[in-house]
Amino acid sequence: MSDLTALTLAGARDLLGKGEVSAKELTEAHVAAVEAARPLNAFITETPEKALAMAEASDSRRAAGEAGLLEGLPIGMKDLFCTEGVLTTAGSHILDGFHPTYESTVSRNLWDAGAVLLGKTNLDEFAMGSSNMTSHYGAVENPWRREGDNRPLVPGGSSGGSAAAVAARAVLAATGTDTGGSIRQPAAFCGIVGMKPTYGRCSRWGIVAFASSLDQAGPMTRTVRDSALMLRAMASYDSKDSTSVDRPVPDYEAALSGDIRGMKIGVPKEYRVEGMTDEIEALWQQGIRWLEEAGAETVEISLPHTHYALPTYYIIAPAEASSNLARYDGVRYGLREPGASLDEMYEATRGKGFGAEVKRRVLIGTYVLSAGYYDAYYNKARRVRSLIARDFAQAYETVDAILTPTAPSAAFGVGDKMDDPIAMYLNDVFTVPASLAGLPGISVPAGLSAEGLPLGLQILGKAFDEETVFRVAGVLEEAAGFEAKPAFRAA
């Protein structure tokens, strides 16, 4: 079984295609791995019976010559995607008992491609967090540990359950969502590959909303090739999502040519921020050398409004969250707390159903949207967001992609920074700008800290140019040769 769970997504696909293993055998091995990974608390809901039924159906389709792109490959699904008949909670008490009667477009695309659902992965409540400590269902633990120190570490957030499950070899791959870095930052913390596609590339229909102008689904995998496979299956145009863009989905795997000779890679000077550790700077310089040795030219660029990205994000995202979360009132679905009047029922339901971080962001969002402050805060943040997007557009007139660190540090300890929201928000300093601009970005594991923890480098690209992002990321991955494994592995 351990041999099967050690496979990459592409490796498992190839074995299935050769008939050397069945989807049922592969799924049985991963069902056992999910059970073994329970100490990490990476899953909110496990679906072993459903997984085995899907695997048997997959074997039947393959026997009939009807294999899909991800036929028979067992994956995890972040519990922000609505899955028909399967509990969907968004990590919140307020959605206890919610079993959707419909399927999100992204998960439907994956099932149509033949993927197998192992379960719903844990996350920060409503995707609000950078540590996966805010889930109503308990904290997720990173499978990595500092050398000589067994104290638990955070997996990053909000897609920390998906990241931990992939890193621990409990699943071949998993879905995540990225609003301000919630795929890329946990990928860096857990030593895996995390891809945020261009806003509009993957449908948001059926994904529990956090910030509608920012949320974007993407894959979390162990290799760049696996990421390319997953994204091709996940992405599609969707008329049910007004922000979905009607563009053909390329064969991203074909973009992995290994050749970046003559490409220009931007290195933004504003990403050297206060508090960034020396080892992050050293890794960044190493990444520059790797790309130059592969034939690319690196160019220092300026993204002058980078300094304003975090405050802009933490106005826009909470504002949209306060609007989106207004629907959770105890009337239609999920938790309902009793009250003597309708208003009291609303107050009791939302007071008990939402956690502290969600309440904090709803209050901030309601404040910046209020009559006296809308222009002073929200409208000003929207204008600054346009300037940040313009910075990137101007940079891409001279470079093909941009190289930055993914996060300002390695994973930190469980419980650290929980009493300091600003320190927690600073984890997103390198990922938020591309989210505000709606651009694709990928985090690739590129080295280890002095304490033996994974560190990531980030490639950012032009809108709907995921192919270039994958091409550069593949070269970076090859040069880094990252083969370290976490202390905890499910099999």
Side-chain angles (χ1 to χ4, degrees):
M1 284 193 178
S2 61
D3 290 341
L4 294 181
T5 57
L7 293 168
T8 64
L9 193 74
R13 173 198 60 179
D14 294 344
L15 286 184
L16 285 165
K18 294 174 184 176
E20 295 181 16
V21 67
S22 68
K24 185 177 181 182
E25 290 169 330
L26 190 63
T27 298
E28 286 173 338
H30 282 88
V31 166
V34 168
E35 293 176 358
R38 285 175 184 165
L40 300 176
N41 198 34
F43 284 82
I44 292 174
T45 302
E46 298 174 16
T47 58
E49 295 86 1
K50 184 177 183 69
L52 290 171
M54 293 175 80
E56 289 175 357
S58 175
D59 284 332
S60 297
R61 286 193 298 272
R62 189 176 292 279
E66 300 172 355
L69 182 65
L70 300 180
E71 196 63 64
L73 300 174
I75 64 170
M77 184 68 60
K78 183 177 181 179
D79 201 20
L80 207 64
F81 293 81
C82 288
T83 42
E84 185 176 0
V86 179
L87 180 67
T88 300
T89 70
S92 180
H93 184 37
I94 208 163
L95 277 174
D96 269 352
F98 176 52
H99 291 76
T101 57
Y102 55 92
E103 193 79 41
S104 77
T105 298
V106 165
S107 56
R108 170 55 59 200
N109 288 346
L110 289 166
W111 311 148
D112 288 347
V116 170
L117 174 65
L118 288 167
K120 305 293 289 293
T121 57
N122 206 344
L123 67 153
D124 281 302
E125 185 181 8
F126 282 104
M128 298 181 193
S130 302
S131 63
N132 224 144
M133 296 295 104
T134 72
S135 172
H136 172 68
Y137 299 92
V140 177
E141 287 189 16
N142 194 323
W144 291 80
R145 293 289 186 270
R146 298 186 181 100
E147 290 181 357
D149 185 347
N150 201 38
R151 287 176 295 180
L153 305 173
V154 304
S158 64
S159 306
S162 289
V166 173
R169 277 53 183 173
V171 299
L172 287 173
T175 60
T177 61
D178 194 307
T179 305
S182 289
I183 287 174
R184 292 162 288 159
Q185 184 249 24
F189 278 12
C190 291
I192 65 169
V193 174
M195 171 62 164
K196 182 197 88 72
T198 309
Y199 182 80
R201 175 59 85 183
C202 291
S203 172
R204 293 186 301 108
W205 194 84
I207 300 175
V208 179
F210 166 11
S212 299
S213 74
L214 294 159
D215 298 343
Q216 186 59 197
M220 307 188 78
T221 61
R222 291 199 284 276
T223 70
V224 173
R225 184 173 299 278
D226 289 358
S227 184
L229 278 171
M230 275 284 284
L231 182 58
R232 185 181 175 192
M234 292 171 67
S236 68
Y237 169 65
D238 184 7
S239 61
K240 297 190 293 295
D241 174 9
S242 63
T243 62
S244 178
V245 177
D246 190 1
R247 294 177 66 124
V249 177
D251 180 354
Y252 296 118
E253 191 178 9
L256 302 176
S257 66
D259 186 1
I260 60 169
R261 289 173 295 180
M263 292 180 66
K264 289 188 176 182
I265 309 297
V267 180
K269 60 184 180 181
E270 289 82 7
Y271 278 53
R272 290 181 173 86
V273 299
E274 183 179 350
M276 186 171 77
T277 63
D278 290 342
E279 58 191 8
I280 297 291
E281 172 67 31
L283 183 70
W284 193 8
Q285 293 303 316
Q286 179 62 67
I288 291 170
R289 290 191 294 273
W290 282 330
L291 296 183
E292 289 176 342
E293 289 167 1
E297 177 187 352
T298 58
V299 181
E300 184 176 79
I301 61 171
S302 179
L303 300 171
H305 293 92
T306 297
H307 178 69
Y308 302 104
L310 272 179
T312 298
Y313 174 84
Y314 280 103
I315 290 172
I316 291 174
E320 295 184 5
S322 72
S323 176
N324 280 324
L325 270 61
R327 72 192 69 177
Y328 303 108
D329 52 15
V331 174
R332 287 159 290 186
Y333 42 74
L335 180 72
R336 177 183 295 180
E337 288 295 312
S341 67
L342 185 63
D343 284 347
E344 285 189 15
M345 187 271 285
Y346 286 162
E347 291 171 3
T349 298
R350 291 167 68 83
K352 187 169 183 180
F354 289 147
E357 181 61 29
V358 171
K359 291 176 184 175
R360 179 185 291 121
R361 298 198 194 193
V362 168
L363 287 170
I364 292 170
T366 303
Y367 177 80
V368 301
L369 289 176
S370 60
Y373 300 100
Y374 184 90
D375 286 330
Y377 292 106
Y378 185 68
N379 260 345
K380 185 175 289 185
R382 289 174 61 202
R383 290 194 291 270
V384 174
R385 181 181 188 175
S386 296
L387 295 175
I388 292 168
R390 188 181 69 182
D391 287 348
F392 279 105
Q394 290 175 343
Y396 286 126
E397 291 175 1
T398 57
V399 300
D400 300 295
I402 293 171
L403 174 70
T404 80
T406 306
S409 70
F412 50 89
V414 169
D416 292 355
K417 306 185 183 184
M418 291 301 292
D419 58 349
D420 188 348
I422 301 301
M424 188 70 77
Y425 297 165
L426 286 172
N427 281 286
D428 303 328
V429 65
F430 297 137
T431 53
V432 155
S435 294
L436 289 169
L439 300 174
I442 193 168
S443 178
V444 178
L448 295 174
S449 72
E451 297 177 312
L453 299 178
L455 302 172
L457 288 173
Q458 177 180 224
I459 302 294
L460 304 176
K462 302 172 187 176
F464 296 101
D465 190 17
E466 286 88 359
E467 290 164 290
T468 294
V469 174
F470 278 125
R471 183 175 297 116
V472 177
V475 170
L476 191 65
E477 176 183 56
E478 180 70 21
F482 187 88
E483 294 182 351
K485 303 293 191 298
F488 182 100
R489 291 193 292 280

